[in-house]
């Protein structure tokens, strides 16, 4: 069974912090005070996380992470879709993220477009609210989203 739970800004979420530490080697930070964090469980075990916040006229998403042992089960795709759904329910017009080259395609499947490169060498990606489609992948020739992430 797979479940998801949202944590509002400023609410402790130790399971999500543990996933972030395991994947990114860092835990809580200043963005947690302004971010909605989602935690996804797989078979009653914390498995994936990500977050969404408002900054500079756009929603930003970040730190989408799946524990290495649980990758390949569609949990990253589910986490990203939960974050995008949350943005959509808040009438998001712009959704931004930054990602390394090797993970940019993960976001582009759901409509993100390359916008440039950050000073840290990350791909700057943008999704316009009117282009947000959660019912399918874009450019995947009818694939099952469970093949991804």
């Amino acid at each position: 069974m797979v479940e998801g739970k949202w944590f509002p800004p400023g609410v402790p979420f130790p399971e999500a912090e543990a996933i972030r530490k395991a994947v990114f080697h860092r835990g809580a930070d200043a963005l947690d005070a302004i971010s909605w964090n989602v935690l996804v469980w797989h078979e009653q075990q914390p498995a994936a996380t990500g977050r969404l916040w408002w900054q500079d006229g756009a929603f930003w998403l970040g730190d989408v992470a799946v524990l290495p042992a649980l990758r390949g089960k569609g949990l990253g795709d589910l986490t990203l879709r939960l974050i995008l759904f949350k943005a959509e329910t808040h009438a998001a017009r712009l959704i931004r993220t930054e990602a390394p080259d090797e993970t940019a395609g993960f976001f582009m499947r759901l409509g993100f477009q390359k916008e440039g490169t950050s000073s840290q060498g990350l791909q700057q990606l943008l999704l316009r609210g009117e282009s947000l489609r959660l019912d399918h992948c874009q450019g995947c020739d009818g694939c099952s989203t469970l093949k991804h992430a």
Side-chain angles (χ1 to χ4, degrees):
M1 181 200 283
V2 176
E3 299 176 79
K5 180 179 179 181
W6 282 98
F7 294 83
V11 171
F13 52 100
E15 297 95 341
E17 287 179 19
I19 294 169
R20 207 185 295 163
K21 283 180 185 175
V23 174
F24 300 120
H25 309 292
R26 58 182 166 72
D29 62 24
L31 281 175
D32 291 327
I34 62 169
S35 299
W36 281 87
N37 288 274
V38 67
L39 179 63
V40 173
W41 280 269
H42 178 263
E43 297 183 9
Q44 301 179 342
Q45 297 296 316
T49 190
R51 61 183 170 179
L52 179 73
W53 67 97
W54 176 262
Q55 181 179 327
D56 300 329
F59 281 96
W60 285 79
L61 66 87
D63 293 330
V64 177
V66 178
L67 289 173
L70 296 172
R71 292 181 183 159
K73 298 179 182 302
L75 300 172
D77 184 77
L78 173 62
T79 302
L80 179 56
R81 287 174 190 269
L82 286 169
I83 295 168
L84 291 174
F85 181 75
K86 176 70 94 176
E88 183 178 49
T89 63
H90 290 289
R93 292 182 186 204
L94 296 174
I95 306 164
R96 297 180 182 278
T97 193
E98 293 182 340
D101 287 337
E102 60 271 15
T103 62
F106 171 72
F107 298 98
M108 292 172 71
R109 274 196 336 270
L110 289 176
F112 280 88
Q113 301 292 316
K114 290 184 181 181
E115 215 183 7
T117 305
S118 74
S119 59
Q120 294 85 21
L122 300 173
Q123 291 293 321
Q124 295 174 324
L125 304 169
L126 171 71
L127 174 60
R128 297 193 179 283
E130 65 267 13
S131 299
L132 178 56
R133 296 287 310 264
L134 295 174
D135 58 346
H136 70 284
C137 287
Q138 296 184 15
C140 290
D141 280 344
C143 68
S144 163
T145 60
L146 293 179
K147 292 181 194 174
H148 302 300

